[in-house]
CSV table of all heavy atoms in Angstrom, one decimal:
chain,number,residue,atom,x,y,z
A,58,HIS,N,75.8,130.2,182.6
A,58,HIS,CA,76.9,130.2,181.5
A,58,HIS,C,76.5,129.3,180.4
A,58,HIS,O,76.4,128.1,180.6
A,58,HIS,CB,78.2,129.8,182.1
A,58,HIS,CG,78.8,130.8,183.2
A,58,HIS,ND1,79.6,131.8,182.8
A,58,HIS,CD2,78.6,130.8,184.5
A,58,HIS,CE1,79.9,132.5,183.9
A,58,HIS,NE2,79.3,131.9,184.9
A,66,ARG,N,82.3,126.9,177.2
A,66,ARG,CA,81.4,127.5,178.2
A,66,ARG,C,81.7,129.0,178.1
A,66,ARG,O,82.9,129.4,178.2
A,66,ARG,CB,81.8,127.0,179.6
A,66,ARG,CG,81.2,127.7,180.7
A,66,ARG,CD,81.8,127.1,182.0
A,66,ARG,NE,81.1,127.5,183.2
A,66,ARG,CZ,81.5,128.5,184.0
A,66,ARG,NH1,82.5,129.3,183.7
A,66,ARG,NH2,80.8,128.7,185.1
A,67,MET,N,80.7,129.9,177.9
A,67,MET,CA,81.0,131.3,177.8
A,67,MET,C,81.4,131.9,179.2
A,67,MET,O,80.8,131.5,180.2
A,67,MET,CB,79.7,132.0,177.3
A,67,MET,CG,79.4,131.6,175.9
A,67,MET,SD,78.1,132.6,175.1
A,67,MET,CE,79.0,134.1,174.8
A,68,SER,N,82.4,132.8,179.2
A,68,SER,CA,82.8,133.4,180.5
A,68,SER,C,81.8,134.4,181.0
A,68,SER,O,81.7,134.7,182.2
A,68,SER,CB,84.2,134.0,180.3
A,68,SER,OG,84.2,135.0,179.4
A,69,VAL,N,81.0,135.0,180.1
A,69,VAL,CA,80.0,135.9,180.5
A,69,VAL,C,78.7,135.1,180.9
A,69,VAL,O,78.3,134.2,180.1
A,69,VAL,CB,79.7,136.9,179.3
A,69,VAL,CG1,78.6,137.9,179.7
A,69,VAL,CG2,80.9,137.6,178.8
A,70,ALA,N,78.1,135.4,182.0
A,70,ALA,CA,76.9,134.8,182.4
A,70,ALA,C,75.7,135.6,181.8
A,70,ALA,O,75.8,136.8,181.8
A,70,ALA,CB,76.8,134.7,183.9
A,131,ARG,N,76.3,139.3,182.5
A,131,ARG,CA,77.1,139.6,183.7
A,131,ARG,C,78.5,139.2,183.5
A,131,ARG,O,78.8,138.1,183.2
A,131,ARG,CB,76.5,138.9,185.0
A,131,ARG,CG,77.2,139.3,186.3
A,131,ARG,CD,76.9,138.4,187.4
A,131,ARG,NE,77.7,137.1,187.2
A,131,ARG,CZ,77.3,136.0,187.7
A,131,ARG,NH1,76.3,135.8,188.5
A,131,ARG,NH2,78.1,134.9,187.5
A,132,TYR,N,79.4,140.2,183.7
A,132,TYR,CA,80.9,140.0,183.6
A,132,TYR,C,81.5,139.9,185.0
A,132,TYR,O,81.3,140.9,185.7
A,132,TYR,CB,81.5,141.1,182.8
A,132,TYR,CG,81.1,141.3,181.4
A,132,TYR,CD1,79.9,141.8,181.0
A,132,TYR,CD2,81.9,140.8,180.3
A,132,TYR,CE1,79.5,141.9,179.7
A,132,TYR,CE2,81.5,141.0,179.0
A,132,TYR,CZ,80.3,141.5,178.7
A,132,TYR,OH,79.9,141.6,177.4
A,133,ASP,N,82.1,138.8,185.3
A,133,ASP,CA,82.9,138.7,186.5
A,133,ASP,C,84.4,139.0,186.1
A,133,ASP,O,84.7,139.0,184.9
A,133,ASP,CB,82.8,137.3,187.1
A,133,ASP,CG,81.4,136.9,187.3
A,133,ASP,OD1,80.5,137.9,187.5
A,133,ASP,OD2,81.1,135.7,187.3
A,134,PRO,N,85.3,139.4,187.0
A,134,PRO,CA,86.6,139.6,186.6
A,134,PRO,C,87.2,138.5,185.7
A,134,PRO,O,87.0,137.4,186.0
A,134,PRO,CB,87.4,139.7,187.9
A,134,PRO,CG,86.3,140.2,188.9
A,134,PRO,CD,85.1,139.5,188.4
A,135,GLY,N,87.8,139.0,184.6
A,135,GLY,CA,88.4,138.0,183.6
A,135,GLY,C,87.4,137.6,182.5
A,135,GLY,O,87.8,137.1,181.5
A,136,ALA,N,86.1,137.9,182.7
A,136,ALA,CA,85.1,137.5,181.7
A,136,ALA,C,85.3,138.5,180.5
A,136,ALA,O,85.6,139.6,180.6
A,136,ALA,CB,83.7,137.6,182.2
A,137,ARG,N,85.1,137.9,179.3
A,137,ARG,CA,85.3,138.7,178.1
A,137,ARG,C,84.3,138.2,177.0
A,137,ARG,O,83.8,137.1,177.1
A,137,ARG,CB,86.7,138.6,177.6
A,137,ARG,CG,87.2,137.2,177.3
A,137,ARG,CD,88.7,137.1,177.0
A,137,ARG,NE,89.0,137.7,175.7
A,137,ARG,CZ,88.9,137.1,174.5
A,137,ARG,NH1,88.5,135.8,174.5
A,137,ARG,NH2,89.2,137.6,173.4
A,138,LEU,N,84.2,139.0,176.0
A,138,LEU,CA,83.3,138.7,174.9
A,138,LEU,C,84.1,138.9,173.6
A,138,LEU,O,84.5,140.1,173.3
A,138,LEU,CB,82.0,139.5,174.9
A,138,LEU,CG,80.8,139.0,174.1
A,138,LEU,CD1,80.4,137.6,174.6
A,138,LEU,CD2,79.6,139.9,174.3
A,139,SER,N,84.4,137.9,172.9
A,139,SER,CA,85.3,138.1,171.7
A,139,SER,C,84.5,138.8,170.6
A,139,SER,O,83.2,138.9,170.6
A,139,SER,CB,85.9,136.8,171.2
A,139,SER,OG,84.8,135.8,171.1
A,160,LEU,N,80.9,148.0,187.1
A,160,LEU,CA,82.3,148.1,186.8
A,160,LEU,C,82.6,148.5,185.4
A,160,LEU,O,81.8,148.1,184.5
A,160,LEU,CB,83.0,146.8,187.1
A,160,LEU,CG,83.2,146.3,188.5
A,160,LEU,CD1,83.9,145.0,188.6
A,160,LEU,CD2,83.9,147.3,189.3
A,161,PRO,N,83.6,149.4,185.2
A,161,PRO,CA,83.9,149.8,183.8
A,161,PRO,C,84.5,148.7,183.0
A,161,PRO,O,85.1,147.7,183.5
A,161,PRO,CB,85.0,150.9,184.0
A,161,PRO,CG,85.6,150.6,185.3
A,161,PRO,CD,84.5,149.9,186.2
A,162,ALA,N,84.4,148.8,181.7
A,162,ALA,CA,85.0,147.8,180.7
A,162,ALA,C,85.5,148.5,179.5
A,162,ALA,O,85.1,149.6,179.1
A,162,ALA,CB,83.9,146.8,180.3
A,199,VAL,N,84.1,142.8,174.1
A,199,VAL,CA,84.5,143.4,175.4
A,199,VAL,C,85.8,142.7,175.9
A,199,VAL,O,85.9,141.5,175.9
A,199,VAL,CB,83.3,143.2,176.5
A,199,VAL,CG1,83.7,143.8,177.8
A,199,VAL,CG2,82.1,143.9,176.0
A,200,ALA,N,86.8,143.5,176.3
A,200,ALA,CA,88.0,143.0,176.8
A,200,ALA,C,87.8,142.4,178.2
A,200,ALA,O,86.9,142.7,178.9
A,200,ALA,CB,89.1,144.1,176.8
A,201,ALA,N,88.7,141.5,178.6
A,201,ALA,CA,88.6,140.9,179.9
A,201,ALA,C,88.4,141.9,181.0
A,201,ALA,O,89.1,142.9,181.1
A,201,ALA,CB,89.9,140.1,180.2
A,202,LEU,N,87.4,141.7,181.8
A,202,LEU,CA,87.0,142.6,182.9
A,202,LEU,C,88.1,142.7,184.0
A,202,LEU,O,88.5,141.6,184.4
A,202,LEU,CB,85.7,142.3,183.5
A,202,LEU,CG,85.0,143.4,184.3
A,202,LEU,CD1,84.3,144.4,183.4
A,202,LEU,CD2,84.1,142.8,185.3
A,203,ALA,N,88.4,143.9,184.4
A,203,ALA,CA,89.4,144.0,185.5
A,203,ALA,C,88.6,143.9,186.8
A,203,ALA,O,87.4,144.2,186.9
A,203,ALA,CB,90.1,145.4,185.4
A,204,GLU,N,89.3,143.5,187.8
A,204,GLU,CA,88.7,143.4,189.2
A,204,GLU,C,88.3,144.8,189.7
A,204,GLU,O,88.9,145.8,189.3
A,204,GLU,CB,89.7,142.8,190.1
A,204,GLU,CG,89.6,141.3,190.2
A,204,GLU,CD,90.5,140.7,191.1
A,204,GLU,OE1,90.8,141.3,192.2
A,204,GLU,OE2,91.1,139.6,190.8
A,205,GLY,N,87.3,144.9,190.5
A,205,GLY,CA,86.9,146.1,191.1
A,205,GLY,C,85.7,145.9,192.0
A,205,GLY,O,85.2,144.8,192.1
A,212,LEU,N,81.0,143.2,192.6
A,212,LEU,CA,82.2,142.8,191.9
A,212,LEU,C,82.0,142.5,190.4
A,212,LEU,O,82.9,141.9,189.8
A,212,LEU,CB,82.6,141.4,192.6
A,212,LEU,CG,82.8,141.5,194.1
A,212,LEU,CD1,83.1,140.2,194.7
A,212,LEU,CD2,83.8,142.6,194.5
A,213,HIS,N,80.9,143.0,189.8
A,213,HIS,CA,80.6,142.7,188.4
A,213,HIS,C,80.3,143.9,187.6
A,213,HIS,O,80.1,145.0,188.0
A,213,HIS,CB,79.3,141.8,188.4
A,213,HIS,CG,79.1,140.8,189.4
A,213,HIS,ND1,79.8,139.6,189.3
A,213,HIS,CD2,78.4,140.8,190.6
A,213,HIS,CE1,79.5,138.9,190.4
A,213,HIS,NE2,78.7,139.6,191.2
A,214,ARG,N,80.3,143.6,186.3
A,214,ARG,CA,79.7,144.6,185.3
A,214,ARG,C,78.4,143.9,184.8
A,214,ARG,O,78.4,142.7,184.5
A,214,ARG,CB,80.7,144.8,184.2
A,214,ARG,CG,80.0,145.6,183.0
A,214,ARG,CD,81.0,145.9,181.9
A,214,ARG,NE,80.5,146.7,180.9
A,214,ARG,CZ,80.0,146.3,179.7
A,214,ARG,NH1,80.1,145.0,179.4
A,214,ARG,NH2,79.5,147.1,178.8
Side-chain angles (χ1 to χ4, degrees):
H58 293 272
R66 172 190 193 262
M67 296 189 75
S68 61
V69 180
R131 189 195 71 204
Y132 295 77
D133 305 335
R137 59 188 288 273
L138 200 57
S139 52
L160 290 180
V199 177
L202 194 82
E204 271 180 38
L212 308 175
H213 319 283
R214 169 178 187 256

